[in-house]
Amino acid sequence: MAQQAYVTETDNGDSGPERRGSALRRLTDRATRLLGTLRSDRRVWRRGLVLATLALLLALVMVVHAHIPNSIGNLGSLTETFLPWLGLGIPVLLLLALVRRSASALIAVLVPSVVWLNLFGGLLTDKAAAVTGGDLTVVTHNVNAENADPEGTAQAVAASGADLVALEELTATAVPVYERALASTYKYHSVQGTVGLWSKYPLSGVRSVDIKLGWTRAMRATVTAPAGPVAVYVAHLPSVRVKLEAGFTARQRDHSADALGEAIADERLERVVLLGDLNGTMNDRALNAVTSQMRSTQGAAGSGFGFSWPASFPMARIDQIMVKGIEPVSSWTLPETSSDHLPVAARVDLATES
């Protein structure tokens, strides 16, 4: 993102960047003074032991997150859903360590910093920059059953230029609106229950996929793309809730994820794309039946975390594009629509097996 330098005049005549620079210099000077007293003042080692302990506990949570039990309110899955956000504790602890002039706390803060960078540092780089090409662009979008502007939402996803568009949370009254709005761009489509797939290429082998809910929220189709056939799955796993009395309630979502994973494992075609709202992140162990056999396009070829929900202030990527036997080329989020989710998109190379 390009940034434009600017100067803001204040009442005392100081410029905005200068004031920020002064604050940074003061913080740097404080750190320098602290380092200068390490040899002469032993108190800097004794101060801030509580802060040092908190820093080490933060690092421990990130290291052992996979071992946090789900038996108590699915606490493990809840932690893994928002695991990247634990990194916000690092600058807070660093600032407090500087204020307390604590050498122990400063050194301890390095531990969660290294752990966080090891877990998520790779997501901070633009992995799509070194890769070009691709022969299929796909989009998935939970359009929200209460969407007040389904036609505008349909036009927005069509404008992305995608070859395939998967929509979730379709209602019986909204389906005709989406069909009309997308008809001119996508010659082929199928709606199964509350999910649908629109394609520029012929569809065959269309069927619903049983994810153990009692109603249809997943489907499968063969798309005959120019580079050859690919199996496309569209899924909307059950929602999860955070409740004070029950914790992170996700049992139905977990069972559906297992059923979806079994269906994908039984797929006969070598090239598979999964599009949908999985109501879980790639870190969530409850989705292992799916994530263990597929690659996230965002993790493999995206830039940043690609958070998709909630649209007003995205905090987690629960809308996923995953592939098997296909090489991801790029992955990104699309602008906000009238839904509470952001659409997510990816470009893949069907001719190159990952």
Side-chain angles (χ1 to χ4, degrees), residues 118-196:
N118 182 61
L119 290 173
F120 303 110
L123 294 175
L124 302 180
T125 60
D126 187 356
K127 294 176 285 296
V131 185
T132 58
D135 47 27
L136 190 72
T137 301
V138 299
V139 166
T140 183
H141 189 24
N142 179 326
V143 295
N144 189 357
E146 300 178 358
N147 193 317
D149 183 21
E151 183 174 2
T153 298
Q155 292 172 349
V157 294
S160 68
D163 302 300
L164 303 177
V165 170
L167 301 181
E168 302 88 47
E169 211 165 294
L170 296 169
T171 63
T173 56
V175 166
V177 179
Y178 288 108
E179 289 176 332
R180 288 194 299 269
L182 296 172
S184 61
T185 306
Y186 301 97
K187 184 177 180 180
Y188 310 95
H189 87 280
S190 176
V191 175
Q192 302 288 320
T194 61
V195 298

Side-chain angles (χ1 to χ4, degrees), residues 281-344:
T281 69
M282 293 296 294
N283 295 316
D284 191 338
R285 77 194 69 169
L287 302 185
N288 279 351
V290 176
T291 58
S292 63
Q293 57 180 317
M294 306 191 80
R295 299 174 71 193
S296 162
T297 59
Q298 184 67 25
S303 176
F305 292 95
F307 294 150
S308 63
W309 177 89
S312 57
F313 187 80
M315 297 182 65
R317 184 180 178 90
I318 63 175
D319 302 276
Q320 307 290 354
I321 299 176
M322 287 188 265
V323 296
K324 181 166 70 171
I326 296 169
E327 185 64 28
V329 173
S330 57
S331 188
W332 64 98
T333 57
L334 295 173
E336 185 177 357
T337 68
S338 296
S339 173
D340 57 341
H341 292 242
L342 292 179
V344 298

Side-chain angles (χ1 to χ4, degrees), residues 15 100 125 143 223 230 262 331 349:
S15 64
R100 287 283 291 143
T125 60
V143 295
V223 175
V230 55
E262 291 176 6
S331 188
D349 190 347

Side-chain angles (χ1 to χ4, degrees), residues 32-352:
T32 303
R33 289 196 300 270
L34 173 60
L35 294 174
T37 59
L38 291 180
R39 295 180 179 178
S40 59
D41 187 357
R42 294 183 179 180
R43 290 176 299 176
V44 298
W45 295 100
R46 294 194 294 268
R47 285 194 295 261
L49 294 181
V50 173
L51 290 176
T53 302
L54 291 175
L56 295 177
L57 287 174
L58 178 62
L60 181 64
V61 170
M62 289 190 284
V63 169
V64 304
H65 68 86
H67 301 286
I68 298 175
N70 262 342
S71 56
I72 304 175
N74 281 291
L75 184 60
S77 287
L78 178 61
T79 302
E80 290 164 340
T81 297
F82 299 102
L83 193 62
W85 291 95
L86 294 183
L88 291 178
I90 296 173
V92 173
L93 290 170
L94 176 61
L95 179 60
L96 292 175
L98 291 173
V99 170
R100 287 283 291 143
R101 297 172 60 122
S102 169
S104 300
L106 275 176
I107 294 174
V109 169
L110 292 176
V111 180
S113 301
V114 171
V115 172
W116 191 92
L117 287 173
N118 182 61
L119 290 173
F120 303 110
L123 294 175
L124 302 180
T125 60
D126 187 356
K127 294 176 285 296
V131 185
T132 58
D135 47 27
L136 190 72
T137 301
V138 299
V139 166
T140 183
H141 189 24
N142 179 326
V143 295
N144 189 357
E146 300 178 358
N147 193 317
D149 183 21
E151 183 174 2
T153 298
Q155 292 172 349
V157 294
S160 68
D163 302 300
L164 303 177
V165 170
L167 301 181
E168 302 88 47
E169 211 165 294
L170 296 169
T171 63
T173 56
V175 166
V177 179
Y178 288 108
E179 289 176 332
R180 288 194 299 269
L182 296 172
S184 61
T185 306
Y186 301 97
K187 184 177 180 180
Y188 310 95
H189 87 280
S190 176
V191 175
Q192 302 288 320
T194 61
V195 298
L197 178 64
W198 277 258
S199 172
K200 293 181 179 179
Y201 308 121
L203 301 178
S204 61
V206 179
R207 58 176 173 82
S208 62
V209 175
D210 182 13
I211 55 173
K212 311 304 180 184
L213 287 176
W215 68 96
T216 301
R217 284 176 49 148
M219 63 174 289
R220 180 255 183 226
T222 297
V223 175
T224 307
V230 55
V232 178
Y233 286 77
V234 183
H236 183 195
L237 297 188
S239 300
V240 297
R241 298 287 185 269
V242 180
K243 300 178 181 179
L244 291 178
E245 72 279 8
F248 192 62
T249 57
R251 182 173 300 178
Q252 193 174 40
R253 188 277 312 266
D254 299 349
H255 290 177
S256 290
D258 291 342
L260 178 61
E262 291 176 6
I264 293 172
D266 292 338
E267 175 58 51
R268 295 184 177 182
L269 291 181
E270 294 183 357
R271 294 181 293 193
V272 184
V273 175
L274 170 60
L275 308 166
D277 174 7
L278 302 190
N279 271 306
T281 69
M282 293 296 294
N283 295 316
D284 191 338
R285 77 194 69 169
L287 302 185
N288 279 351
V290 176
T291 58
S292 63
Q293 57 180 317
M294 306 191 80
R295 299 174 71 193
S296 162
T297 59
Q298 184 67 25
S303 176
F305 292 95
F307 294 150
S308 63
W309 177 89
S312 57
F313 187 80
M315 297 182 65
R317 184 180 178 90
I318 63 175
D319 302 276
Q320 307 290 354
I321 299 176
M322 287 188 265
V323 296
K324 181 166 70 171
I326 296 169
E327 185 64 28
V329 173
S330 57
S331 188
W332 64 98
T333 57
L334 295 173
E336 185 177 357
T337 68
S338 296
S339 173
D340 57 341
H341 292 242
L342 292 179
V344 298
R347 187 159 178 81
V348 300
D349 190 347
L350 299 180
T352 304

